Amino acid sequence: MKKIDKIILISVIIISLFGLLMIYSSSSIWAEYKFNDPYKFLKTQAIFLIIGYFLIYIISKIPYQTYLKYSNIILFGCLILLILVLIPGIGTVRNGSRSWFGIGSFGIQPSEFAKLGIIIFTAKYLSTNKIKDIKTSVLPILSIVILIFGLIMLQPDFGTGMIIVVTIIVLLFISGVKMNFFIKLGFIGLIGIIGLIIIAPYRLKRIVSFLNPWADPLGSGFQIIQSLYAIGPSGLLGAGLGNSVQKHFYLPEPQTDFIFSIISEELGFMGVLIISTLFITIIYRGLRISIKQEDNFAKYLSFGLTFSLAFQTILNLMVVVGLIPVTGVTLPFLSYGGSSLLVSMTNIGILLNISKYNR
């Protein structure tokens, strides 16, 4: 075995510490107004970040083969949590979604852990089963994905559900499933999305606001407009750290999904370039780890974890710049949120362990 991939580790440490700084910068005004404590979100995120660093250290020591052995138990545990969070009195409603377990002032989101659980299970499934035909090889894993997606949509949390579905589909694609299957699946998915819009009309409002946010500037288009106001005039160096205008109650809760807007406004193109470089480095090294594996489970697992991280990052950035409707997906390592940070750190810990087995 070789040593862990230090480039990934250093990149994650830098981007997460930078995220801590930007969470304080973007949230201090809102935190002082709401909690009379400008450091409220900074302190909470710092606790999760310290836990996250311990997770990276511990998980990087655990042989990745352990997840192959316990993949069924991990997935079953995730399913139980997804069911429990839907029960009134157990799950907590935040921003209209019953997606959280409230523990004091902290909140844990089980759908984040479900992303990790289904990737581990799919990696095991693909490494231990030959893809012979759709009915016996592909439909069983898709049935489980649909079950998890359905439970997450009951919360509802479309963004996380979409990340899970797309990640598993891409894993199936690289495992050798034929292209015509994905074409048929695409048509079914389109019909499903139309059905979800019919069931919940607010999703149609999000699509309309994405196409023309100024049609409802004080309603469904408000977040996108304020985000564009933050990004548009930022220039090369931005307004300077701490000098954002949009964080003064214009952009709602800027420390969460739209933290990239504040980064762009305060640090300009150079800040965006630094963040993009760090993300590209982490994703490139993750894919490199996957390519260099001889063990199929390690190959699928490392690819799934890396792709999930990459897709979530791209999804968030596309929302922030107005390319797709608002999905509620956080920006890994940067957005405020304990569950998202801990799962991202867990992913990195697993990747670092797998990197020891590079050819």
Side-chain angles (χ1 to χ4, degrees):
M1 291 194 302
K2 300 180 180 179
K3 295 181 179 180
I4 62 171
D5 191 318
K6 292 182 179 178
I7 295 178
I8 283 187
L9 180 60
I10 292 170
S11 299
V12 168
I13 291 173
I14 293 172
I15 200 170
S16 58
L17 288 174
F18 180 76
L20 201 61
L21 173 66
M22 292 311 303
I23 284 171
Y24 170 70
S25 178
S26 60
S27 70
S28 58
I29 304 297
W30 171 255
E32 187 169 15
Y33 170 76
K34 190 173 182 180
F35 302 102
N36 199 29
D37 179 8
Y39 302 99
K40 165 69 176 176
F41 295 106
L42 172 66
K43 290 186 290 189
T44 303
Q45 190 75 357
I47 292 171
F48 279 110
L49 184 59
I50 293 169
I51 295 171
Y53 287 153
F54 276 110
L55 274 178
I56 287 180
Y57 175 77
I58 294 168
I59 292 174
S60 66
K61 302 288 185 182
I62 300 173
Y64 71 86
Q65 297 90 342
T66 305
Y67 308 108
L68 178 65
K69 183 178 179 181
Y70 295 104
S71 61
N72 292 1
I73 297 174
I74 293 171
L75 182 65
F76 182 73
C78 291
L79 284 170
I80 294 299
L81 291 176
L82 288 176
I83 293 170
L84 288 176
V85 80
L86 297 173
I87 301 174
I90 299 179
T92 304
V93 178
R94 295 187 181 184
N95 297 324
S97 297
R98 191 178 293 278
S99 315
W100 306 83
F101 292 119
I103 305 173
S105 60
F106 297 99
I108 300 297
Q109 196 172 11
S111 59
E112 288 288 339
F113 297 94
K115 283 192 298 186
L116 178 59
I118 189 61
I119 289 171
I120 292 172
F121 182 83
T122 304
K124 185 212 73 169
Y125 183 86
L126 294 176
S127 63
T128 56
N129 294 274
K130 291 184 178 181
I131 303 299
K132 296 179 179 179
D133 59 76
I134 301 300
K135 288 183 179 180
T136 59
S137 302
V138 179
L139 289 185
I141 191 67
L142 280 182
S143 300
I144 296 173
V145 173
I146 291 170
L147 173 61
I148 290 176
F149 180 76
L151 290 172
I152 291 175
M153 287 307 299
L154 289 174
Q155 298 176 6
D157 185 359
F158 182 74
T160 303
M162 184 58 65
I163 292 171
I164 290 174
V165 170
V166 173
T167 300
I168 301 308
I169 287 175
V170 172
L171 274 172
L172 289 172
F173 176 74
I174 68 168
S175 70
V177 179
K178 294 181 180 179
M179 180 62 74
N180 60 355
F181 169 75
F182 295 104
I183 295 173
K184 296 175 183 177
L185 196 64
F187 282 113
I188 295 172
L190 183 61
I191 294 170
I193 290 173
I194 294 171
L196 290 172
I197 292 172
I198 294 172
I199 294 171
Y202 76 89
R203 295 191 181 103
L204 182 59
K205 289 183 179 180
R206 285 189 175 183
I207 294 174
V208 171
S209 67
F210 146 68
L211 295 174
N212 182 18
W214 282 270
D216 187 12
L218 298 178
S220 56
F222 185 78
Q223 270 189 307
I224 295 177
I225 291 173
Q226 299 307 317
S227 176
L228 294 177
Y229 281 157
I231 296 171
S234 56
L236 181 63
L237 299 176
L241 185 64
N243 294 329
S244 166
V245 173
Q246 293 304 111
K247 69 182 180 183
H248 288 77
F249 310 108
Y250 292 101
L251 187 60
E253 298 191 42
Q255 72 277 6
T256 55
D257 306 348
F258 284 82
I259 194 170
F260 185 81
S261 305
I262 305 300
I263 294 173
S264 179
E265 184 183 10
E266 293 190 351
L267 302 178
F269 176 75
M270 293 306 298
V272 171
L273 183 62
I274 292 170
I275 292 301
S276 301
T277 302
L278 288 169
F279 272 122
I280 290 170
T281 301
I282 294 168
I283 293 164
Y284 167 74
R285 299 296 294 190
L287 293 175
R288 187 171 178 270
I289 289 170
S290 178
I291 291 170
K292 287 182 172 290
Q293 295 305 308
E294 292 182 344
D295 176 31
N296 280 338
F297 176 67
K299 186 182 291 290
Y300 288 129
L301 180 56
S302 54
F303 179 86
L305 296 175
T306 304
F307 180 84
S308 174
L309 180 68
F311 184 64
Q312 181 172 338
T313 302
I314 293 169
L315 209 59
N316 176 274
L317 297 182
M318 290 177 74
V319 167
V320 168
V321 299
L323 292 178
I324 60 173
V326 176
T327 59
V329 171
T330 57
L331 186 58
F333 309 113
L334 291 170
S335 291
Y336 174 79
S339 298
S340 175
L341 181 63
L342 292 182
V343 170
S344 297
M345 292 301 199
T346 301
N347 289 358
I348 296 302
I350 296 172
L351 277 175
L352 290 178
N353 181 262
I354 295 175
S355 71
K356 296 179 183 180
Y357 298 85
N358 278 0
R359 285 184 306 212

